[in-house]
Amino acid sequence: MKKYNFIHIFLNKSKIFNTATQNLINELDLPYKHLFVYAFEEDMKNVLADNSIFDKDVRRTTGLKKYFEIGDYIIIHALNYSTKDIAKLTDEECKRIIWCVWGHDLYTVESKHNIFYLLARKIYRILKRQKYYNKKAAEKISKFKGIVAGFVGDKFTIKERYGNDVVVYQALYPMGYYSSDLEKWETECEPHSNLKILLGHSAYPFLNHEFWIEKLTPYKDKIELYLPLAYGNSEYAKEIKEKATDVFWGDKVYLLEKFTTFQEYFKFLCNVDIAIFDYKHQSAFGNILLLLYLKKRIYLNPNGIMYKGLKSVGANIFTTDEVVNNEFKLITNKELLNNHKLATKILDFNNIKKQWIYLLNNCYGEI
């Protein structure tokens, strides 16, 4: 019998999500023994539980070997390994791995590059046998004990990439707040005449800020632009700030450049009318849930997994094409209430607990 039933490997730098996940799992009324291994020591500053350690060696798959000896299953939170590194795993090790998807570890973010960069990258990938290792890594991942998706749309991508036989579980990562918190924090939207538009959630080029600033410029007298730029690419943030303030001068643009508490950010979103998220991969799910809860109009890329996933669970959302064509459709109170109920259910503390209990029981019950 192994010393631990589940060993969790936190490969992402995230004091908030890692700690919240550990706290939730430790609170579950289950008989399993857990060990939480942090790849980055600074993430452990707020950890109070004694079943956690720091081990930088887990940043490579070779660093997992010793944990297979003392644990029944290894739960990897964010698969931050190269395909070459994943390919080194044995089939027996793969059968004892559970991968909890974050988003960046499942999707490739589209970026605009010049032709010389793209050519150099292609040559580099050929020299490094990238295609070969991508195939080998996919074969290994398809043998994992299971893959955990917090966002329902990820299931489509997982099945498409790793085959229909892979077991996919639904379990949302705790975000530091739940429906009960939002109920206390919600405030009335301040009266206003201009349309307040939230553009993205961070300072990353994939959000197409520049395109949308230009697209919305003809309506600058009737709208106000809300730009969260607190995290992401700092140089890109400066460029977008300059671009936005040149067009939407004065009180027409609201920049969020510093980190705030969850409660303060939620109140910030209370005053938004619509939100635009223009990309194809999975990102900003937490932000979108808050906006659904607040009954705001949301516009997503029609070819993206966020749009497909949210539509599959009945969310009433729109496409970015409608903004381009200036088709700001009205949404009924019934549809808005449906979005609110959907987000309330997804963020319900007991619902999230049930998902993690099912995941752990189902995996361990088959050992």
Side-chain angles (χ1 to χ4, degrees):
M1 185 175 180
K2 304 290 185 182
K3 185 176 180 181
Y4 296 99
N5 304 122
F6 295 98
I7 297 179
H8 302 259
I9 310 294
F10 290 125
L11 294 177
N12 251 10
K13 284 185 178 180
S14 178
K15 297 175 185 177
I16 295 173
F17 291 110
N18 292 341
T19 306
T21 301
Q22 179 173 349
N23 290 340
L24 174 72
I25 292 172
N26 278 337
E27 289 175 12
L28 299 178
D29 187 20
L30 295 173
Y32 310 123
K33 291 182 179 180
H34 298 270
L35 176 66
F36 298 87
V37 184
Y38 287 76
F40 299 94
E41 193 170 16
E42 57 266 36
D43 280 4
M44 294 186 64
K45 290 181 179 179
N46 298 323
V47 177
L48 300 177
D50 58 6
N51 60 338
S52 53
I53 61 172
F54 160 65
D55 184 359
K56 66 179 181 181
D57 292 343
V58 296
R59 297 176 199 173
R60 299 292 299 273
T61 55
T62 51
L64 300 177
K65 300 289 184 183
K66 55 191 169 188
Y67 296 107
F68 281 112
E69 295 177 5
I70 62 172
D72 294 318
Y73 291 114
I74 306 292
I75 300 182
I76 300 176
H77 300 267
L79 196 65
N80 293 353
Y81 296 122
S82 68
T83 52
K84 186 176 181 179
D85 215 11
I86 294 170
K88 294 176 182 177
L89 292 165
T90 69
D91 288 354
E92 286 305 309
E93 289 171 342
C94 288
K95 292 175 184 178
R96 292 165 59 195
I97 290 177
I98 300 161
W99 167 26
C100 289
V101 172
W102 269 59
H104 68 275
D105 48 346
L106 181 62
Y107 299 93
T108 300
V109 179
E110 293 183 356
S111 300
K112 295 180 181 178
H113 297 289
N114 62 48
I115 190 170
F116 299 106
Y117 173 89
L118 294 173
L119 181 60
R121 187 174 66 175
K122 187 174 183 178
I123 294 171
Y124 173 83
R125 287 178 173 175
I126 292 173
L127 293 174
K128 292 291 184 178
R129 301 176 69 198
Q130 193 66 52
K131 190 173 182 180
Y132 167 79
Y133 285 115
N134 285 347
K135 182 180 179 181
K136 295 300 291 184
E139 290 173 359
K140 295 293 183 180
I141 292 171
S142 68
K143 294 180 173 68
F144 281 4
K145 176 67 176 177
I147 301 178
V148 185
F151 173 58
V152 65
D154 291 341
K155 290 183 177 181
F156 301 121
T157 305
I158 292 167
K159 292 288 186 180
E160 181 180 324
R161 189 171 301 169
Y162 305 114
N164 290 322
D165 292 336
V166 67
V167 179
V168 182
Y169 296 95
Q170 183 85 34
L172 184 69
Y173 267 109
M175 300 182 183
Y177 54 82
Y178 301 98
S179 300
S180 55
D181 298 310
L182 304 186
E183 188 177 347
K184 298 173 188 174
W185 297 345
E186 188 172 2
T187 59
E188 289 292 328
C189 182
E190 297 172 3
H192 56 275
S193 56
N194 292 324
L195 187 68
K196 296 187 176 184
I197 299 178
L198 176 77
L199 187 52
H201 66 294
S202 58
Y204 287 111
F206 70 77
L207 289 158
N208 296 319
H209 291 95
E210 191 169 347
F211 170 84
W212 285 106
I213 290 171
E214 291 179 0
K215 186 62 62 176
L216 296 170
T217 296
Y219 315 103
K220 64 181 181 179
D221 294 332
K222 299 178 182 179
I223 66 177
E224 294 176 26
L225 202 60
Y226 278 51
L227 287 171
L229 301 173
Y231 75 95
N233 184 312
S234 58
E235 287 302 313
Y236 178 74
K238 290 178 184 177
E239 293 175 15
I240 297 307
K241 177 181 178 180
E242 184 177 338
K243 177 80 174 178
T245 51
D246 280 348
V247 177
F248 296 89
W249 45 268
D251 59 358
K252 292 287 186 179
V253 58
Y254 187 99
L255 300 167
L256 188 63
E257 300 178 273
K258 295 181 179 179
F259 286 102
T260 65
T261 63
F262 286 126
Q263 186 172 355
E264 289 170 338
Y265 186 67
F266 183 68
K267 288 182 178 179
F268 163 79
L269 294 179
C270 285
N271 287 312
V272 168
D273 294 310
I274 72 171
I276 299 173
F277 297 96
D278 184 18
Y279 47 84
K280 296 179 181 178
H281 62 285
Q282 191 258 90
S283 188
F285 184 42
N287 282 260
I288 292 171
L289 282 177
L290 294 178
L291 292 162
L292 289 172
Y293 180 91
L294 288 168
K295 296 176 280 195
K296 307 298 182 180
R297 281 180 286 169
I298 302 170
Y299 294 81
L300 304 176
N301 189 306
N303 299 312
I305 197 66
M306 298 302 297
Y307 183 81
K308 182 179 180 180
L310 288 168
K311 274 292 188 181
S312 74
V313 292
N316 294 290
I317 49 180
F318 303 95
T319 74
T320 48
D321 290 344
E322 295 172 79
V323 183
V324 172
N325 297 325
N326 196 26
E327 298 174 358
F328 288 96
K329 294 180 181 178
L330 293 177
I331 185 169
T332 66
N333 288 331
K334 183 179 179 180
E335 290 171 323
L336 291 172
L337 184 59
N338 176 69
N339 287 349
H340 174 81
K341 289 179 178 178
L342 176 64
T344 300
K345 180 180 179 181
I346 292 174
L347 289 169
D348 179 72
F349 177 68
N350 290 323
N351 182 54
I352 295 172
K353 278 181 63 176
K354 287 178 182 177
Q355 290 176 338
W356 283 92
I357 288 171
Y358 177 81
L359 163 67
L360 298 173
N361 280 339
N362 196 270
C363 288
Y364 201 76
E366 296 177 8
I367 195 166

